Amino acid sequence: MSDVLERLAQVLEARKEANPDTSYVASLHAKGLNKILEKVGEECTETLLAAKDAEHSGDTRAVVYETADLWFHSMVMLSRLELGPQDIIDELASRFDLSGLEEKASRQP
Ligand SMILES: N=c1c2ncn([C@@H]3O[C@H](COP(=O)(O)OP(=O)(O)OP(=O)(O)O)[C@@H](O)[C@H]3O)c2ncn1[C@@H]1O[C@H](COP(=O)(O)O)[C@@H](O)[C@H]1O
C-alpha cells in the first residue's frame, strides 16, 4: 500500500527540477510554499464538505477523490520541507499500542 506513496514521493522529488510550464508540481514549487499551503487548505475544506454530504447521501466516491487530492497536496508540502511519507509512517508506527486518551493525559501538566 505505502509503495504507491513512496513511488509518488520519488516523482515529486524529481519534479522539483522540472519545467513549471509542463509540470503541475513544478508550477506549485515555482509559486512557493504559501501556494502549496493554500492548496492543502482548499483540499482539506473540500474533503470536509464531501464527508458531510456522504453522511446524508451514503455516496462516498467524492470523499475518496477529495482525500486523494488532500494527500497529494500534503505530500507536495512534505517534499517542499525535505520530508516524505516514511516520516509520517514512522510517526504513526511509534504510536501503536498507545491509546490516544493516554497520550493526551500524558501531555497534561
Ligand atoms: N496525484 C497527482 C495529482 N492529484 C491531483 N493533481 C492536480 O491537482 C490539481 C488540483 O487542483 P484543483 O482541483 O483545485 O483544480 P485547479 O483549478 O486545476 O487548481 P488551481 O488552478 O486552482 O490551483 C489539479 O490540477 C490536478 O490535476 C495531481 N497532479 C499530479 N499528481 C501526481 O503527480 C505526478 C506529477 O505531476 P506533474 O508535476 O503535473 O507532472 C503525476 O504523475 C501524478 O502521479
Side-chain angles (χ1 to χ4, degrees):
M1 181 168 45
S2 62
D3 182 46
V4 170
L5 298 181
E6 269 311 322
R7 282 167 53 204
L8 178 56
Q10 285 168 14
V11 173
L12 296 185
E13 193 57 34
R15 290 300 194 273
K16 285 180 179 176
E17 310 300 329
N19 181 346
D21 293 333
T22 56
S23 158
Y24 174 68
V25 174
S27 77
L28 286 178
H29 284 296
K31 288 172 189 160
L33 179 62
N34 280 356
K35 179 64 184 180
I36 295 169
L37 298 180
E38 185 185 304
K39 293 303 296 180
V40 173
E42 262 179 50
E43 303 303 347
C44 188
T45 303
E46 285 168 18
T47 301
L48 300 184
L49 294 175
K52 285 302 288 179
D53 284 348
E55 190 171 40
H56 297 293
S57 68
D59 183 352
T60 54
R61 282 172 300 185
V63 178
V64 172
Y65 187 90
E66 298 299 349
T67 303
D69 277 354
L70 175 59
W71 283 25
F72 166 71
H73 285 90
S74 297
M75 285 188 59
V76 176
M77 176 193 72
L78 293 173
S79 163
R80 177 82 178 195
L81 300 173
E82 308 299 342
L83 294 167
Q86 194 59 51
D87 295 291
I88 311 307
I89 288 165
D90 289 349
E91 175 62 26
L92 288 172
S94 77
R95 298 180 188 181
F96 270 117
D97 299 326
L98 177 62
S99 149
L101 294 178
E102 279 173 33
E103 187 277 331
K104 191 169 183 176
S106 73
R107 280 192 267 132
Q108 308 297 332

